[in-house]
Amino acid sequence: MDKTVEAFVVGQEYLLDARLVKYDAIASIAHAKMLAKIGILTQKEAKELIRALNEIIKLDEQGKFKISQEQEDVHTAIENFLTEELEDVGKKIHTGRSRNDQVLVALRLYYMDNLKELIRLAKLFIKNADAFSSKYGSIILPGYTHTRKAMPSSIKLWTGAFIESMEDNIKILEFSLVLIDQSPLGTGAGYGSPISLDREFTAKELGFVRVQNNPIYTQLSRGKFEATLLHAMCQVMLDLNKIATDLIIFSMPEFGYYELPQSFTTGSSMMPHKKNPDFLERLRASYHIVAAQEALIHNLAGNLPTGYNLDTSLTKEPIMKGFDITEQSLGIAALLFTKLKVNKESCKKAMTKELYATAMAYKLVESGVPFREAYKKVSAEFK
Amino acid sequence: MDKTVEAFVVGQEYLLDARLVKYDAIASIAHAKMLAKIGILTQKEAKELIRALNEIIKLDEQGKFKISQEQEDVHTAIENFLTEELEDVGKKIHTGRSRNDQVLVALRLYYMDNLKELIRLAKLFIKNADAFSSKYGSIILPGYTHTRKAMPSSIKLWTGAFIESMEDNIKILEFSLVLIDQSPLGTGAGYGSPISLDREFTAKELGFVRVQNNPIYTQLSRGKFEATLLHAMCQVMLDLNKIATDLIIFSMPEFGYYELPQSFTTGSSMMPHKKNPDFLERLRASYHIVAAQEALIHNLAGNLPTGYNLDTSLTKEPIMKGFDITEQSLGIAALLFTKLKVNKESCKKAMTKELYATAMAYKLVESGVPFREAYKKVSAEFK
Amino acid sequence: MDKTVEAFVVGQEYLLDARLVKYDAIASIAHAKMLAKIGILTQKEAKELIRALNEIIKLDEQGKFKISQEQEDVHTAIENFLTEELEDVGKKIHTGRSRNDQVLVALRLYYMDNLKELIRLAKLFIKNADAFSSKYGSIILPGYTHTRKAMPSSIKLWTGAFIESMEDNIKILEFSLVLIDQSPLGTGAGYGSPISLDREFTAKELGFVRVQNNPIYTQLSRGKFEATLLHAMCQVMLDLNKIATDLIIFSMPEFGYYELPQSFTTGSSMMPHKKNPDFLERLRASYHIVAAQEALIHNLAGNLPTGYNLDTSLTKEPIMKGFDITEQSLGIAALLFTKLKVNKESCKKAMTKELYATAMAYKLVESGVPFREAYKKVSAEFK
Amino acid sequence: MDKTVEAFVVGQEYLLDARLVKYDAIASIAHAKMLAKIGILTQKEAKELIRALNEIIKLDEQGKFKISQEQEDVHTAIENFLTEELEDVGKKIHTGRSRNDQVLVALRLYYMDNLKELIRLAKLFIKNADAFSSKYGSIILPGYTHTRKAMPSSIKLWTGAFIESMEDNIKILEFSLVLIDQSPLGTGAGYGSPISLDREFTAKELGFVRVQNNPIYTQLSRGKFEATLLHAMCQVMLDLNKIATDLIIFSMPEFGYYELPQSFTTGSSMMPHKKNPDFLERLRASYHIVAAQEALIHNLAGNLPTGYNLDTSLTKEPIMKGFDITEQSLGIAALLFTKLKVNKESCKKAMTKELYATAMAYKLVESGVPFREAYKKVSAEFK
């Protein structure tokens, strides 16, 4: 193959594949066991393969298993390793398997681990937000609509919104986990395998709840499942975007409701006085990056006939970027709640009269005035 | 208010609101009942309001309830109607309510109805695809990867992929329904109400499973829930996009695997011989329109402080467009399966030798050749 | 054709086509003249056609030329009108033409008119911003980075940024106009016409600077040109988004730098005291809607083979929506500058010490201290 | 600063900055010269700085200038290097400058170089396409609309479309170059500099045609200019997407119109017979990646107040990704035209009767039949 073309076709995916070494090895172990079970491999061959695959897992933990550009991807790197170590036995591991289902199963395992990590972080976020609310919850501060003072709010109410929202986010994450918890291994290139495989066995070995039956559907679901995962991440990130937006504005000295931890802010190269909320701006912006990954996946998957197309393999970078950013962001946000302070004085000072206009109208309602009349009367006072 | 500015601010939303008349009236009935229950309205007042609101529902069914541009939205149109009919009593209906929670509850009811319709259509799709598969399933045709003949496939396999995928789509739709099944009514402008409302009562009246507690969260969830709904629709639409793409290509006379119903195709204004698959192209393209609506909602909701901002009200058009297109598309796709034909002869003729190359390699594997060796041998034959 | 399918295929485009009546009629007049010139029509026939087409233009001006759903689009509506009025002569107008080049030329003329309108509005914006700057320019107010006070700014500097940016926007709009100023008429369905047409003649008649030669390219450019136009609009809208964002924040009573015209703000249904900047929020949000249209067009045009595909015809709605919103928004923004006030007192009060920290550092630099040293010294004062 | 937070804030940008070393050094040289000219630096100091900066340029050429994560970006890495080498003199280089204008000018120079490279590649593409057309242009093959045979086309017509389109793309690229050819250096953090700088001088030194005057506009233009550049790249990529789509379909053995160079295709891990057009699929998909970068930049830049915000600095990755992919893709496409073959026999065989239906209708038109009548007659033959 032409070198320029090869570099183009391979792209940066071989670098991304570093994260998949463990998962591909684990899936290969299950595959080897199954091949032994159905008689394609002898028990001895399977054992040798499993030993070598466990060696790969160990090398990977130590950061010593490398994938070169020539190898193109983790799968070839592992197959080459096995062939070098075990010769003919290594050449047998790919029996009944295609790159197409091999990458699907490795990714599926990687996704599930990352979803679990996100759920863990979301729970940590709630725990920390809860502690923050316990500490500052009783402080009253202005509630805004249209970025204008509206009615009295409180730190408890504010924090509670994000807790309730994060609880719903966890539901979304858990649902996503259930949705993708199905084993694609054994569907070959997307049209099944000429030999009979025990798909239930590998599914069980790998801890999947069920088998993804239709081989065309396993290919079809690439791009679909990734979109669902990124959608779930977007929901988390939108909440963080809102927290960041609120804190950027209301920690301005002009408001002073919130005080950012000094160890979180940064200076300026030119202006000696600055304490900038860079981390909040990055949090805010990160939402858009994750949302863009979901949109990209929607577009990569469109207008393609059934059956594997290389296009969907390019969902690898966006989904991995999504996990990286969301995990890091959620971690930072959870940490933030342990350091963020509320300035009671500033909040109190900001509780000006107009915030009670609605309550005034309702006083009149209680004395029998129809709401629209009461509204008009109070309204006149604020002209 | 300046007329030009007003037209700008109101936009086209008052037209979209036609779909919400029923839902706003239903929610207003529940609200009136609750106001009577907690003593804000007398039973007589509540009764009058309910009667008038039922009249609105009837007018709406007959297409006779109109919302003018001056009224700006369905809520003002209804409030005006009530005030005209009932005078002071009409002015009381808005007690304990804000446009902000009023629109949320009307939309929530509208969404839930539309989700149910989508689930119904998805089931119809599966039923029809199943019948199609019963009829043509046994026909063998080429399976493609990289848009190149790969291995033998069948109509059963092809249809089965979309059935299994649609089953997963239904799970997504059902989960979305569960997620949003919470009543926002009673959260006012986003910071609760100065008077104590019975939110459990209205939630129950309206058939919600639970109350959405935090009033800031109800506002926060605008844009979030809409994104989840559109994401679910995207998943449905992606499958239809793939069906359309397959059929556009493989119903070309050059392949002839599928035959499109004559009553579905269109001619050309210049070329007398044409039978164009316009409906499939529109189906294909519609996916992108729905995906764009989701992306738009992601972007409308970003970088905004908590509390209601008008920006999120602009999610109304994209979500309604999403439902319209997805329902129509899913209906068309379900209908298509009742008319689509498979040409057995063309399929058979297309089953050329290379489709069996993998099977040939596996024959060698069975005779003991390691897979990679077998692969190389067969490969040489196709050079 | 099946009725459900037909409704699906036709969509809402026949309604959008109302804007194209004039342009299609004008292009048809040029086409008729050309057909007469090359001898396909007699002079008498051409004259009759031109008279009838001018009648259509007049009817359209009076809002009396309607396109029904059965007619599907403006082109059929016009052809039907001509055939009814002129019988056989009407049936000749489509000679040498296809819907495909007919719609392209009508759209091209519509685009060019709208681009000119945008340029006019952009100039009006600059004029009004300039007058605003003349009035308030000398007022000093805080300049912010990271939403934190940074250095002294002024109304002149702030307004000047948008003027300079809008000047660049005008360059983008003018370039877009030059780019698309090429006649697609005469390229038929995308592979030319079996008869020899005088394309230079119609191009000149319609005021195009040049002919778009390659018929496949005329089809290819659908989606491309629309993206360029929407990109230009996005650039305008981004500036308006920034103006809106600045004004929403800095007209908060907590800052009070800017005072929004009363006639631009709106109240709340529940809170009697509110003056909400709805129009600014809509301006801010409108940017995202226009940006979403560009993204949608990028996606509609992808993964399609050459030659006309219905998919690209669905760019009609997004491009029209883009023009509508951008024109309206730019008009509102230009108007705003004639009414917006700056509160000198609030600005002055906000000019606190830290805004001069950089200047203090530079005082030290002038006395010979290296910048990084001076920076550190001043920085210490603000710890 | 907290370590976790720092890693979050810095992100991967320090890695991307490797591409900017040269440009930052060049801009720093111009800045040093200017500081000497206005008397802030002595001639000797300027000379030392320039020498050290040239050393950096040399180190960078040899791949030896590294930016560590602690340094955060290229600017600190360079400033540190200078301070270590030159002590106090190194501390003076940042006089009259901020990171904000420093990064803008480095990026601007990087953009301009890359735009020129894209223009060079676009011209190469045209040259190679032209040669391809000279070789195969006379071959007639079917032209398609709606993915259905429409009318006769030719290789010349097909190639010509992309040549004409690429010529327009070059106009877009050249316009983009003109638009951004303005020096931001000297605008400090976005509100100018407390000392008087000679901005004309540095602009001239760096080869800019003009100065970007307003300092707020220089910040405002971040995100704007990047969007314009990515838009231009999208236009290039859309053409390549279409070429890829055409070739993927029409090089299928079922059509056989085009023959892909063997050295460009890849095999399958499971199916021994495959020759997959991976490079074309990647080309097709790359369009979506570039389009997603533009959309991301649109979203990153929205809803932010004027003045620098960290959010816009996150446009660095998308714009660099855009350039990388577009340059690589355009290079591959240009190369492809030197290797691609057309199979005359397959093309000829595909020229079936219906492709001449339109010509048949026009034969009747020539004999005096009105076009719509002729159309109907011929149409009947193809029922």
Side-chain angles (χ1 to χ4, degrees), chain A residues 144-146 148-149 248 251 254 268-269 271-276 281 299 302-303 358 372 375 379 382, chain C residues 144-146 148-149 248 251 254 268-269 271-276 281 302-303 358 372 375 379 382:
Chain A
Y144 289 79
T145 63
H146 302 272
R148 293 291 176 272
K149 280 183 185 172
I248 287 170
S251 72
E254 288 92 331
S268 151
S269 76
M271 297 172 287
H273 68 289
K274 295 279 280 182
K275 296 183 195 73
N276 291 326
E281 295 170 281
N299 299 328
N303 295 17
T358 310
R372 273 283 164 257
Y375 174 97
S379 185
F382 289 91
Chain C
Y144 289 80
T145 64
H146 301 270
R148 292 292 175 271
K149 279 184 186 173
I248 287 170
S251 73
E254 287 92 330
S268 151
S269 77
M271 297 171 286
H273 68 288
K274 295 279 281 183
K275 295 181 196 76
N276 292 326
E281 295 170 279
N303 295 17
T358 311
R372 272 285 164 254
Y375 175 97
S379 186
F382 288 92

Side-chain angles (χ1 to χ4, degrees), chain A residues 1 4-11 13 310, chain D residues 264 266 278-279 282:
Chain A
M1 196 182 195
T4 323
V5 177
E6 191 174 8
F8 177 67
V9 169
V10 174
E13 274 78 56
L310 177 129
Chain D
F264 277 52
T266 41
D278 289 73
F279 80 104
R282 190 165 190 118

Side-chain angles (χ1 to χ4, degrees), chain C residues 192-212:
Chain C
S193 168
I195 53 171
S196 255
L197 307 171
D198 189 339
R199 296 192 59 202
E200 290 291 343
F201 177 84
T202 46
K204 210 168 179 181
E205 272 293 309
L206 294 168
F208 286 108
V209 163
R210 59 189 173 117
V211 160
Q212 187 171 18

Side-chain angles (χ1 to χ4, degrees), chain A residues 142 144-151 247-255 257 260 262 266-278 280-281 284 288 295 299-300 302-304 311 354-355 357-358 361-362 371-372 374-376 378-380 382-383, chain C residues 142 144-151 247-255 257 260 262 266-278 280-281 284 288 295 299-300 302-304 311 354-355 357-358 361-362 371-372 374-376 378-380 382-383:
Chain A
Y144 289 79
T145 63
H146 302 272
T147 328
R148 293 291 176 272
K149 280 183 185 172
M151 284 171 64
L247 293 183
I248 287 170
I249 296 177
F250 296 116
S251 72
M252 289 174 82
E254 288 92 331
F255 297 95
Y257 304 160
L260 305 180
Q262 176 96 23
T266 41
S268 151
S269 76
M270 178 178 177
M271 297 172 287
H273 68 289
K274 295 279 280 182
K275 296 183 195 73
N276 291 326
D278 291 72
L280 290 174
E281 295 170 281
R284 178 173 63 186
H288 297 290
N299 299 328
L300 280 172
N303 295 17
L304 298 174
D311 314 57
E354 72 271 36
L355 287 157
T358 310
Y362 275 100
F371 176 70
R372 273 283 164 257
Y375 174 97
K376 277 179 198 166
V378 178
S379 185
F382 289 91
K383 282 283 184 255
Chain C
Y144 289 80
T145 64
H146 301 270
T147 327
R148 292 292 175 271
K149 279 184 186 173
M151 285 170 64
L247 292 182
I248 287 170
I249 296 177
F250 297 115
S251 73
M252 289 174 82
E254 287 92 330
F255 297 95
Y257 304 161
L260 304 180
Q262 175 97 23
T266 41
S268 151
S269 77
M270 177 179 178
M271 297 171 286
H273 68 288
K274 295 279 281 183
K275 295 181 196 76
N276 292 326
D278 290 73
L280 289 175
E281 295 170 279
R284 178 174 62 185
H288 297 289
N299 300 329
L300 281 172
N303 295 17
L304 298 174
D311 313 57
E354 72 271 36
L355 287 157
T358 311
Y362 276 100
F371 176 71
R372 272 285 164 254
Y375 175 97
K376 278 179 196 165
V378 176
S379 186
F382 288 92
K383 282 283 183 251

